[in-house]
Amino acid sequence: MDDQTASRHSHEFSRLLAALRQAYEAANKASEFDEFDTHNALVEHIERLMADVENDDAIDSQGNKVSRRWLLEIEYQAVSASRVALRKSVITALYHLWERSVLRWVAWTGRKHASHSDLVGLAASTGASAVSLNRLEPLHFINNALKHDNPSWIQRLREGGYDRYLNDQTYSPYDSPLDPYEIIHLSHNNVIDFFDWVAACGPNFMQPWPGMLPTRQEFDPIYGS
């Protein structure tokens, strides 16, 4: 691959990674507000009930009388679950952005799918940080557990000492049923850490090479005018 093409791919990776991070942080902030509002509404309603100021009657979409507190609890659980789903979906997108970018940086011509160890070696050859590359191991395990719904990757997390990414740290691999989606735990800070580590796992092209930057005409087909 010539230097100009390599430079274009590295800049494309940086821009796509920044766009994904901005989208995640905006969605996370919005979900934080939603969770805060539903939590406060639930607490306020419970306080009113305890003070016997308001009854607990509400009407559902079918016209049935139900507990307003129950409806608020369901809403709060749904908002909380959406934040968890957001983090897990972004994790898989983040790993695959890095994976596809590595293959483009080195013009991969091997078998159709490179293994994670292949990707690490290829990224290292471009000048990616060895420390950050090692930190991508749990990202690889988490991605595979979520994408393939395979409990064996949960066990890999345990064996690798990554219990901090698991909800239940006392489970046995022989427990049944074992739901990888439910067991994996990701905080907002976990996701931000992975963004930082992936950013450090790109090619070492942070400084533009004189005469090697893509022209506006070369960028437009990728990013739009």
Side-chain angles (χ1 to χ4, degrees), residues 1-221:
M1 181 185 298
D2 61 76
D3 289 346
Q4 185 173 6
T5 302
S7 179
R8 184 189 313 146
H9 288 336
S10 69
H11 282 69
E12 179 182 2
F13 167 71
S14 298
R15 288 192 63 167
L16 291 174
L17 183 63
L20 180 61
R21 182 166 183 163
Q22 290 170 4
Y24 164 70
E25 291 184 340
N28 184 69
K29 187 172 184 178
S31 65
E32 277 185 345
F33 287 136
D34 287 345
E35 187 172 44
F36 181 77
D37 287 344
T38 55
H39 175 267
N40 282 356
L42 178 58
V43 170
E44 187 176 303
H45 181 66
I46 292 173
E47 289 176 346
R48 286 174 179 163
L49 288 177
M50 293 177 66
D52 199 27
V53 173
E54 178 185 356
N55 66 43
D56 197 31
D57 293 338
I59 304 299
D60 67 10
S61 59
Q62 306 299 319
N64 301 313
K65 184 178 291 188
V66 295
S67 163
R68 183 178 285 107
R69 175 177 174 177
W70 179 79
L71 291 176
L72 286 169
E73 287 174 345
I74 293 298
E75 183 179 354
Y76 177 63
Q77 290 170 11
V79 171
S80 299
S82 71
R83 297 188 67 198
V84 173
L86 170 67
R87 293 168 188 164
K88 293 178 181 178
S89 62
V90 166
I91 282 295
T92 58
L94 181 58
Y95 183 81
H96 287 292
L97 170 60
W98 176 74
E99 175 188 48
R100 307 281 168 80
S101 297
V102 171
L103 298 180
R104 293 192 69 188
W105 299 330
V106 299
W108 174 254
T109 57
R111 60 189 181 278
K112 185 176 181 181
H113 297 293
S115 69
H116 180 74
S117 59
D118 289 333
L119 294 169
V120 168
L122 294 171
S125 72
T126 70
S129 162
V131 172
S132 292
L133 283 167
N134 289 335
R135 288 172 171 166
L136 293 193
E137 183 176 65
L139 178 63
H140 170 227
F141 294 162
I142 292 168
N143 170 71
N144 279 6
L146 293 173
K147 181 179 177 181
H148 302 294
D149 195 28
N150 189 332
S152 68
W153 293 101
I154 300 297
Q155 186 62 15
R156 297 280 290 276
L157 283 166
R158 284 295 305 273
E159 293 170 351
Y162 304 120
D163 286 14
R164 61 186 176 277
Y165 301 116
L166 302 177
N167 274 318
D168 184 356
Q169 299 181 15
T170 63
Y171 82 97
S172 163
Y174 304 104
D175 288 348
S176 181
L178 184 61
D179 185 344
Y181 189 89
E182 294 299 328
I183 286 179
I184 288 175
H185 167 77
L186 293 168
S187 69
H188 172 65
N189 288 337
N190 292 152
V191 177
I192 294 301
D193 284 343
F194 281 129
F195 267 109
D196 290 340
W197 297 335
V198 166
C201 290
N204 191 19
F205 301 150
M206 298 305 292
Q207 296 300 321
W209 299 341
M212 294 300 176
L213 282 178
T215 65
R216 175 63 183 267
Q217 288 73 27
E218 291 172 320
F219 264 130
D220 282 350

